[in-house]
Amino acid sequence: MEGSSTDQVKDVDCISKLPDDVLLVILSRLSTEEAVRTSLVSKRWEHVWKHISHLVLNMSRIINSKEPIDGSNRVATLLTKIINNHRGHLESCVINHYTYQSVNGMVNTWVQALTCSKHTRVLTLTNHYAQHHAYLDRTGPNKYLEISTNLFSHPSLKSLSLILYILETSHPLSYCPNLTTLKLLCVASEVGVFNSVLASCPSLEVLVLDIACVKKTGAPLKIENNKLKVLLVTSSCKHIDGIRVSAPSLDILAFVDIYFKKDDIFIVAPRLQCSRSFWIRPALTPHIGYNISKEKKIIWHEELVSLFGIKSRITAGSLSVSVDLNNPTEFERLQEVLHAWTHKMTELEIIFKDNNDPSEENDSWNNKKKDKYKDPFPNAEFCVNTVCMLNFSGSEEEFAFASCLIRQGTVIKNMMIKKTSFPAKKVLEIKTAVAKLRALRTIHQRKITIIYF
């Protein structure tokens, strides 16, 4: 820019001339602390941050490392000021706080402001103190969730996550018909308290329980909900006498890091057609049952895929999945789930749905079926000890799927095709398809068993 006039570039601030919507996109890439500090840049920036849709308030990032945590209200007061100064509604808010007496009263104030004034839809509360102390150490100071009754019951609040708390009673969640998502992560209490909480949330569609029970009561964990679509349970089973699940709308059921005897678990979930023997597994072996939906937009598919991101926990296990291979949405979701599984799978049960939806979308998809398995499905690394297939009709789509698993070396030990009630002519077609699958085995795959029984 040699030779240019200094006056031409003086005080040029192109960013500040952008509309608020664009500035908010920029601020969304910053932490909440950084976004708030932009108010000091100029008058133009003073109030922009107050309209961001997401707040993450982390006391551990704001507090001075030299000041005593239990003797200072400075950070708690600062968080209160940020919440009060925010304008309009909040889509979501995360609060990571210390649990000391001087702070506990503030938590109620924050939650009330967020739910009643800001109409926050998604709220996450984390007990920062418990992160530095042994889980279930009930002697730690103020680890209980001290929230006023019905404070989580505001109609605007749809999703609530509580992390690292002890629930002394069910009062904080005594009546929450507004909640569609509830996540209790590293939360301890008695079975009766958990049962009361779950009974007080009749509108749940997503429920994630990573819980521990602190006292032996002889009662099972009861999950009874007509609207529930996703259930993930991972818990310390020490003081839980079984699980009772009644959820007629359930599409996803995941058990991770739990172990129960056969008579300790009872499940009524008609949309999940998986073998009931799947639920009884060795300790710490996860199992997921998934009825894949053809609906275009569903939140629970993302919930399931995100589960596999916890690589240290999904180390083996089994998956039972119901799928229509002729439906492109269901096929792609199956591929995503299997692709996200990070380790060798113990057993994969595939339940083929009857194709009763001859839509134009499906017709177009079937025209491209030759390209479905052009690349390894779901990827070259995925492998499973045993594949079980139910309702296998020997159709072109089902045979292509099964043959792909053989040709790319996905199946390590067994492929088992279970008999179903088909006419004699169809049974002959199935047996022919099984014979063709056996013929696909290479010399190195002769130990793989492929049976129809």
Side-chain angles (χ1 to χ4, degrees), residues 107-119:
V107 176
N108 273 280
T109 302
W110 298 335
V111 173
Q112 185 169 17
L114 291 168
T115 56
C116 299
S117 300
K118 307 302 176 184
H119 294 173

Side-chain angles (χ1 to χ4, degrees), residues 42 57 84 88 111 114 145 149 166 174 198 200 244 250 263 265 334 339-340 359 376 387 418 447 452-453:
S42 66
L57 306 174
N84 291 339
V111 173
L114 291 168
L145 179 62
T149 302
I166 294 176
S174 58
L198 299 180
S200 299
R244 301 291 183 266
L250 197 65
D263 296 333
I265 192 161
L334 172 63
H339 183 79
S359 64
V387 173
K418 295 185 179 180
K447 291 185 178 180
Y452 173 67
F453 69 101

Side-chain angles (χ1 to χ4, degrees), residues 254-403:
F255 285 162
V256 181
D257 293 353
I258 67 172
Y259 173 71
F260 288 103
K261 297 179 180 178
K262 184 176 181 180
D263 296 333
D264 293 337
I265 192 161
F266 181 77
I267 300 171
V268 177
R271 292 173 66 89
L272 295 175
Q273 304 176 39
C274 56
S275 301
R276 289 300 175 253
S277 59
F278 266 112
W279 309 121
I280 314 302
R281 289 288 174 186
L284 307 182
T285 301
H287 173 69
I288 291 109
Y290 184 16
N291 174 49
I292 298 180
S293 172
K294 63 183 178 183
E295 295 177 40
K296 289 296 182 182
K297 293 183 179 180
I298 52 174
I299 58 173
W300 44 95
H301 178 73
E302 285 70 25
E303 289 285 339
L304 178 63
V305 173
S306 66
L307 168 65
F308 297 112
I310 312 174
K311 295 185 178 180
S312 61
R313 302 177 77 166
I314 306 299
T315 56
S318 56
L319 171 68
S320 177
V321 58
S322 302
V323 62
D324 177 4
L325 294 180
N326 287 304
N327 184 284
T329 301
E330 295 192 28
F331 181 87
E332 288 166 4
R333 285 178 182 153
L334 172 63
Q335 191 169 24
E336 288 174 4
V337 169
L338 296 182
H339 183 79
W341 198 286
T342 57
H343 294 75
K344 181 173 68 176
M345 189 180 292
T346 302
E347 188 165 344
L348 171 62
E349 182 181 62
I350 300 287
I351 302 149
F352 296 114
K353 297 180 183 178
D354 294 327
N355 181 24
N356 297 317
D357 185 20
S359 64
E360 293 181 3
E361 180 189 30
N362 286 6
D363 291 340
S364 175
W365 177 248
N366 287 332
N367 291 334
K368 301 176 182 178
K369 58 189 174 185
K370 292 183 180 179
D371 296 329
K372 287 182 184 179
Y373 306 104
K374 187 175 181 180
D375 298 321
F377 181 90
N379 57 66
E381 290 75 32
F382 177 73
C383 60
V384 55
N385 282 338
T386 299
V387 173
C388 259
M389 296 184 180
L390 281 69
N391 205 26
F392 180 84
S393 65
S395 69
E396 185 177 352
E397 294 77 21
E398 294 168 3
F399 178 80
F401 174 80
S403 62

Side-chain angles (χ1 to χ4, degrees), residues 40 143 434:
L40 303 175
K143 288 181 62 178
V434 172

Side-chain angles (χ1 to χ4, degrees), residues 140-300:
N142 304 308
K143 288 181 62 178
Y144 293 103
L145 179 62
E146 298 181 0
I147 297 292
S148 301
T149 302
N150 294 334
L151 203 55
F152 294 128
S153 301
H154 195 277
S156 66
L157 185 62
K158 298 302 180 183
S159 175
L160 175 65
S161 298
L162 300 177
I163 305 171
L164 290 161
Y165 290 100
I166 294 176
L167 291 177
E168 189 172 18
T169 70
S170 62
H171 292 163
L173 295 120
S174 58
Y175 181 64
C176 295
N178 51 301
L179 293 179
T180 58
T181 297
L182 177 63
K183 299 180 182 181
L184 303 180
L185 308 176
C186 296
V187 172
S189 190
E190 297 179 9
V191 173
V193 172
F194 285 126
N195 288 341
S196 296
V197 167
L198 299 180
S200 299
C201 303
S203 301
L204 290 180
E205 294 183 4
V206 176
L207 176 61
V208 179
L209 298 176
D210 183 355
I211 60 176
C213 289
V214 296
K215 183 193 293 187
K216 182 75 171 178
T217 62
L221 181 67
K222 295 181 180 179
I223 303 170
E224 300 173 347
N225 191 302
N226 291 331
K227 297 182 178 180
L228 193 63
K229 296 181 180 296
V230 178
L231 174 61
L232 165 61
V233 181
T234 172
S235 72
S236 168
C237 307
K238 184 177 180 181
H239 294 142
I240 300 179
D241 287 351
I243 296 181
R244 301 291 183 266
V245 177
S246 178
S249 300
L250 197 65
D251 279 323
I252 297 175
L253 174 57
F255 285 162
V256 181
D257 293 353
I258 67 172
Y259 173 71
F260 288 103
K261 297 179 180 178
K262 184 176 181 180
D263 296 333
D264 293 337
I265 192 161
F266 181 77
I267 300 171
V268 177
R271 292 173 66 89
L272 295 175
Q273 304 176 39
C274 56
S275 301
R276 289 300 175 253
S277 59
F278 266 112
W279 309 121
I280 314 302
R281 289 288 174 186
L284 307 182
T285 301
H287 173 69
I288 291 109
Y290 184 16
N291 174 49
I292 298 180
S293 172
K294 63 183 178 183
E295 295 177 40
K296 289 296 182 182
K297 293 183 179 180
I298 52 174
I299 58 173
W300 44 95

